[in-house]
Amino acid sequence: MAFPLRVLLLLFLSIPFSESKSNLSFDYYKRSCPNFEKIVRETITTKQMSNPATAAGTLRLFFHDCMVEGCDASVFIASNSFNTAERDADVNLSLSGDGYEVVVRAKTTLELTCPKVVSCADILAVATRDLVTMVGGPYYKLRLGRKDGLVSKASRVEGNLPRSNMSMTHVINLFASKGFNVQEMVALTGGHTIGFSHCIEFSDRLYSYSKKHATDPELNSKFAAGLRNICANHTIDKTMSAFNDVFTPGKFDNMYFKNLPRGLGLLAYDHALVKDPRTKPFVELYATNQTVFFQDFSRAMQKLSIHGIKTAKNGEVRNRCDQFNSIQT
């Protein structure tokens, strides 16, 4: 049965519609900067080969950027006398310089090739995806056309990023406030399969767990002994760290999930994932089926990549990733 044009129009207008997301497309730079993804790919390959920690650092940087103000490269802005920016918030001080550097390198090359066209936000999204793929993770398509944000304030960071000492309920509610369900949260947490955490983030599990046990008894005993040795001077040297995945720290796989039931989860939050009945089924699923983990991680990253994005109405294409095109107060 044919529908009158007026009825079809009303049906179309009733569909939930996000103007900002509708401005994105898979081939956004096809004409304005056709070599965009090639330039990013060449940049990240060179950087990852010279510093294997780049992939993990960039993935974490992307997550921290998107969870605060949305995926708008606001975490790149440098503080000045008028404003303390996101990157100087306490939780962001440990972000890897490699993530910042690889994006800035790509931006520099792109400004020579197609000036004032490609946003830092898009560079970060694509660099993250390509680095994950480069170290063995899944490839996923990304819509492009994000603009760089016009706001970056350290005061807006707290409460938008999970902390290692948060309860599972708190973390679940935090992700829910961003539109992510429990399964998507666990899939994104699988990013811990690469990279490291600073000793200060889990030292309480090693030295002051409880009055009865100095060390968390649910940590694998040999693993705990090794960590105590690695982190012995963590109160003096705040940069001391350990790999999140002790077996394949440089490979994106599902080993992180396999480690958790063995008492090899580094952070208290990692360990809680395999204990909490809301998250345990997904940990077990991903531990036994890497294909499903990769599929769910890809979908969750695609969803994260369009969270809170900016368009020309409330964003810009920065000339430099670390500063707004005009002074913001």
Side-chain angles (χ1 to χ4, degrees):
M1 182 176 68
F3 287 91
L5 179 60
R6 184 180 178 185
V7 174
L8 290 173
L9 180 60
L10 288 172
L11 286 171
F12 174 77
L13 292 176
S14 69
I15 298 172
F17 186 77
S18 172
E19 182 181 359
S20 61
K21 293 170 186 175
S22 72
N23 290 329
L24 302 185
S25 65
F26 294 118
D27 59 352
Y28 187 84
Y29 297 108
K30 184 177 181 179
R31 293 183 178 179
S32 59
C33 194
N35 289 324
F36 160 57
E37 294 200 40
K38 179 175 180 289
I39 289 171
V40 172
R41 189 162 53 249
E42 290 174 349
T43 304
I44 66 105
T45 299
T46 300
K47 188 71 172 66
Q48 177 67 18
M49 289 179 68
S50 64
N51 191 335
T54 301
T58 307
L59 176 57
R60 185 169 180 241
L61 181 65
F62 176 73
F63 178 76
H64 279 231
D65 180 54
C66 292
M67 292 291 280
V68 182
E69 302 292 350
C71 301
D72 64 354
S74 51
V75 75
F76 280 82
I77 294 296
S79 297
N80 56 33
S81 57
F82 304 103
N83 177 55
T84 302
E86 271 180 44
R87 67 188 296 170
D88 287 322
D90 175 62
V91 71
N92 285 338
L93 294 176
S94 61
L95 289 174
S96 168
D98 294 311
Y100 290 112
E101 184 180 338
V102 73
V103 172
V104 170
R105 282 189 188 182
K107 176 66 171 175
T108 301
T109 304
L110 286 163
E111 284 301 300
L112 295 173
T113 307
C114 34
K116 302 181 181 181
V117 172
V118 182
S119 67
C120 301
D122 271 349
I123 296 171
L124 177 58
V126 172
T128 300
R129 189 269 313 276
D130 289 353
L131 282 162
V132 165
T133 304
M134 186 176 177
V135 295
Y139 177 91
Y140 48 91
K141 295 186 70 175
L142 285 170
R143 287 187 281 172
L144 303 170
R146 299 163 190 76
K147 295 297 183 282
D148 300 320
L150 301 175
V151 176
S152 179
K153 294 184 179 296
S155 60
R156 298 192 181 186
V157 173
E158 191 61 39
N160 285 299
L161 287 166
R163 296 276 197 163
S164 58
N165 60 351
M166 282 182 177
S167 69
M168 185 56 65
T169 296
H170 192 165
V171 177
I172 288 173
N173 289 339
L174 172 58
F175 274 86
S177 72
K178 310 289 183 183
F180 295 92
N181 61 34
V182 174
Q183 184 164 10
E184 291 166 335
M185 181 194 81
V186 177
L188 288 172
T189 304
H192 286 184
T193 192
I194 55 175
F196 57 86
S197 294
H198 291 92
C199 293
I200 192 67
E201 296 181 77
F202 54 87
S203 59
D204 58 331
R205 299 189 73 198
L206 302 177
Y207 307 108
S208 55
Y209 182 70
S210 68
K211 291 182 179 180
K212 187 175 182 181
H213 300 283
T215 301
D216 185 344
E218 296 206 19
L219 272 172
N220 178 284
S221 59
K222 291 183 179 179
F223 183 51
L227 291 175
R228 285 195 298 270
N229 183 50
I230 292 171
C231 298
N233 295 318
H234 76 279
T235 56
I236 299 172
D237 184 356
K238 305 294 185 183
T239 65
M240 298 192 77
S241 57
F243 289 123
N244 294 322
D245 171 5
V246 68
F247 290 113
T248 58
K251 182 181 179 182
F252 197 100
D253 54 21
N254 67 337
M255 186 59 72
Y256 165 76
F257 294 108
K258 292 181 178 180
N259 288 339
L260 297 184
R262 304 170 182 169
L264 299 173
L266 198 58
L267 305 175
Y269 167 71
D270 296 328
H271 182 64
L273 282 177
V274 77
K275 292 294 182 179
D276 194 289
R278 294 167 292 183
T279 54
K280 183 179 179 180
F282 302 119
V283 171
E284 294 175 337
L285 172 63
Y286 297 151
T288 57
N289 195 325
Q290 180 170 279
T291 299
V292 173
F293 165 49
F294 277 16
Q295 290 171 345
D296 288 354
F297 178 82
S298 295
R299 282 191 287 265
M301 285 294 283
Q302 287 174 320
K303 182 174 178 177
L304 178 63
S305 75
I306 57 175
H307 174 65
I309 58 167
K310 309 301 185 293
T311 64
K313 291 182 179 180
N314 57 355
E316 64 184 4
V317 174
R318 289 185 207 137
N319 300 325
R320 289 179 45 150
C321 291
D322 63 349
Q323 64 183 36
F324 302 114
N325 291 343
S326 58
I327 296 175
Q328 308 287 318
T329 59

